[in-house]
Amino acid sequence: MQAFAYTNGQLCAEEVALAEVASRFGTPCYVYSRTAIEQQWQEFNSALGQGDHLICYAVKANSNIAILNLLARLGSGFDIVSVGELERVLRAGGDAGKTVFSGVGKRVDEMRRALEAGIKCFNAESVAELERLNSMARGINRIAPVSIRVNPDIDVDTHPYIATGLKENKFGIPYADALPVYELAASLDSIKIIGIGCHIGSQITVMDPFINALERLLSLTAEIENKGITLQHIDVGGGLGICYQDETPPTAKDYVKELMRIFSGKSYHLILEPGRSIVGNAGVLLTRVEYLKQTSHKNFAVVDAAMNDQLRPALYGAWHNILPLTERTAGQGRVYDIVGPVCETSDFLGKDRKLLLHQGDVLAICSAGAYGFCMSSTYNSRTRACEVMVDGRTMHEIRRRETLEELMTGESLLPA
Ligand code: LLP
């Protein structure tokens, strides 16, 4: 299904014209399609079939509790990287027992809350973390379930800021050190080793690196088991890319099928941590053209969304398709840079886009469901956008626009 498509010249989300969303909720506004999110999750799930598996949706991709709740209702697990994400999962009705805790910098208080909540496991990334976890768990008389994140040293063709599986990256235990680290972990009294995992990067659009990483993990599991350490699961992480422009990533179905070719016959429980591939193409950001500005060099469309609302173009030079909500046929387009009001030259949402624009038009920044709202900030004292979920013909406001009062909450003047 295409979540966002033109019907009678109007760009729609499911059965709702996005122009209607913009006029009811204002702009900038993130809009998601419930069907698209659920279908993507189901595609992973049905491809995994009857095999012993758990999809742990990577909460960081989009952490709105309405989205987490939809996934929890489908039976999803979650991959979290902070106590904040854990509290969101719990508030959304997610199951702690299906939640894995990743990240290189877990604080003691975060570990304690997660252990007490009964998470499935900690994805440990260093010896120091294992030692800290062990002593925290001993202190509260509990045993912490642990999976070790191994860094398989695999090069992936993605933006360097989102490649995580190279030996120079901060993530995971270096492949060559993994075996002794497992032996050390096995000797700690308040830790129980249950798995092994990796995550090699994000927006990966070919299968090879995933296959290589899984093969490397599997050969390591054999060595670990030879040392008398039993593993229950293998976690292949997330990272499957989506189409922003003309990329042709494997579908969720093909991705799973390829992984299963390597994995079949193994008796491990398989964990996946997809984020972007579930929500990325299920969301758009609506923004209104405030001004059209022509200089001798450039045409600018100054819109009401900015890098604080959508950071990906500024941070990674990411390309997102930009579509008008109403298709115009009469008249010639112009080539515009679509820029926001923030005082930074990197504040652009798209460059050199041919569009036929009028002041006041609303545009959709496409493929904005992942790493969109959740990476937004209030830079330039801009209130954060609202978020709307479309479900068939219905619109639900799943986060209202931040107010100026909320923007300054918690700040105070010094005494006179
Ligand atoms: N698991 C772990 C341990 C991760 O670090 C990540 C993402 C995922 C799973 C989910 O990966 P995905 O399936 O979404 O690729 N802000 C960047 C992406 C950062 C990804 C960080 N880690 C962007 O906008 O492209």
Side-chain angles (χ1 to χ4, degrees):
M1 186 207 73
Q2 257 216 302
F4 301 92
Y6 286 100
T7 308
N8 302 326
Q10 288 290 318
L11 189 60
C12 296
E14 301 193 17
E15 292 164 61
V16 174
L18 287 169
E20 222 183 296
V21 182
S23 74
R24 176 148 155 210
F25 298 100
T27 52
C29 171
Y30 276 92
V31 188
Y32 310 113
S33 154
R34 173 179 183 168
T35 313
I37 295 171
E38 291 182 334
Q39 278 185 353
Q40 270 306 106
W41 189 92
Q42 294 288 13
E43 187 177 328
F44 276 102
N45 199 47
S46 34
L48 287 157
Q50 298 309 310
D52 184 15
H53 70 267
L54 181 63
I55 301 169
C56 289
Y57 165 70
V59 173
K60 64 170 80 69
N62 188 322
S63 54
N64 185 291
I65 59 172
I67 291 177
L68 303 183
N69 172 255
L70 285 184
L71 298 175
R73 288 194 230 172
L74 296 177
S76 189
F78 298 94
D79 166 46
I80 58 165
V81 290
S82 70
V83 72
E85 289 190 351
L86 173 62
E87 299 303 344
R88 284 179 174 277
V89 167
L90 298 176
R91 187 165 303 181
D95 183 349
K98 291 184 180 172
T99 299
V100 301
F101 192 170
S102 302
V104 293
K106 304 176 191 79
R107 297 189 310 259
V108 171
D109 63 294
E110 295 183 299
M111 288 174 164
R112 187 178 309 118
R113 172 72 179 124
L115 187 56
E116 284 172 347
I119 64 162
K120 181 176 178 66
C121 73
F122 292 87
N123 289 345
E125 303 214 18
S126 65
V127 170
E129 179 188 338
L130 285 166
E131 286 168 346
R132 176 183 279 187
L133 181 60
N134 187 57
S135 74
M136 183 278 294
R138 189 189 310 116
I140 58 169
N141 244 325
R142 300 279 287 263
I143 302 290
V146 167
S147 170
I148 290 179
R149 174 170 173 183
V150 174
N151 183 332
D153 191 22
I154 297 227
D155 200 1
V156 295
D157 180 21
T158 189
H159 191 280
Y161 290 2
I162 55 175
T164 52
L166 276 174
K167 57 177 179 291
E168 59 262 37
N169 300 138
K170 69 181 175 183
F171 300 100
I173 303 274
Y175 193 83
D177 303 344
L179 202 51
V181 172
Y182 266 93
E183 288 180 288
L184 173 105
S187 74
L188 299 173
D189 58 1
S190 299
I191 276 178
K192 180 173 163 50
I193 297 170
I194 64 166
I196 185 167
C198 71
H199 169 76
I200 54 174
S202 198
Q203 184 53 14
I204 300 167
T205 55
V206 291
M207 225 28 236
D208 282 0
F210 293 117
I211 300 287
N212 294 342
L214 179 55
E215 280 172 343
R216 279 173 76 80
L217 282 196
L218 284 170
S219 82
L220 201 53
T221 57
E223 293 179 50
I224 293 166
E225 301 253 359
N226 275 341
K227 298 279 178 193
I229 302 168
T230 317
L231 300 175
Q232 296 166 17
H233 78 244
I234 295 196
D235 180 341
V236 295
L240 179 60
I242 61 170
C243 175
Y244 285 97
Q245 186 170 14
D246 52 10
E247 307 88 337
T248 52
T251 61
K253 187 173 164 196
D254 290 342
Y255 165 82
V256 169
K257 223 165 68 191
E258 291 281 304
L259 288 183
M260 293 313 277
R261 251 185 341 109
I262 316 285
F263 199 72
S264 69
K266 306 284 183 301
S267 56
Y268 299 112
H269 175 61
L270 179 64
I271 298 181
L272 273 61
E273 301 173 357
R276 187 190 319 262
S277 52
I278 290 188
V279 289
N281 274 325
V284 296
L285 169 61
L286 302 185
T287 183
R288 189 175 294 276
V289 177
E290 293 285 349
Y291 301 102
L292 294 177
K293 174 172 171 176
Q294 267 108 48
T295 71
S296 51
H297 288 288
K298 280 263 181 201
N299 300 311
F300 295 100
V302 184
V303 297
D304 66 359
M307 63 188 289
N308 73 295
D309 301 297
Q310 169 56 274
L311 185 60
R312 301 193 73 257
L315 189 57
Y316 314 113
W319 192 95
H320 287 252
N321 200 11
I322 300 181
L323 295 173
L325 295 201
T326 308
E327 276 181 315
R328 277 215 182 86
T329 41
Q332 281 284 312
R334 279 212 173 110
V335 175
Y336 289 97
D337 279 7
I338 315 296
V339 300
V342 162
C343 305
E344 301 270 349
T345 302
S346 59
D347 181 28
F348 64 92
L349 298 172
K351 287 192 170 168
D352 298 326
R353 305 303 173 88
K354 186 152 191 214
L355 290 160
L356 177 50
L357 294 181
H358 293 210
Q359 199 169 294
D361 282 358
V362 180
L363 302 173
I365 314 296
C366 299
S367 310
Y371 307 108
F373 181 88
C374 57
M375 287 175 75
S376 67
S377 75
T378 58
Y379 185 41
N380 279 203
S381 286
R382 291 168 49 82
T383 55
R384 276 174 297 180
C386 60
E387 294 176 283
V388 172
M389 177 77 72
V390 169
D391 180 9
R393 291 173 197 281
T394 318
M395 309 175 231
H396 299 278
E397 192 177 30
I398 58 171
R399 189 186 211 274
R400 64 173 166 70
R401 187 176 306 286
E402 193 170 25
T403 64
L404 286 170
E405 196 48 46
E406 286 163 343
L407 187 77
M408 287 177 266
T409 296
E411 296 184 35
S412 54
L413 305 178
L414 290 180

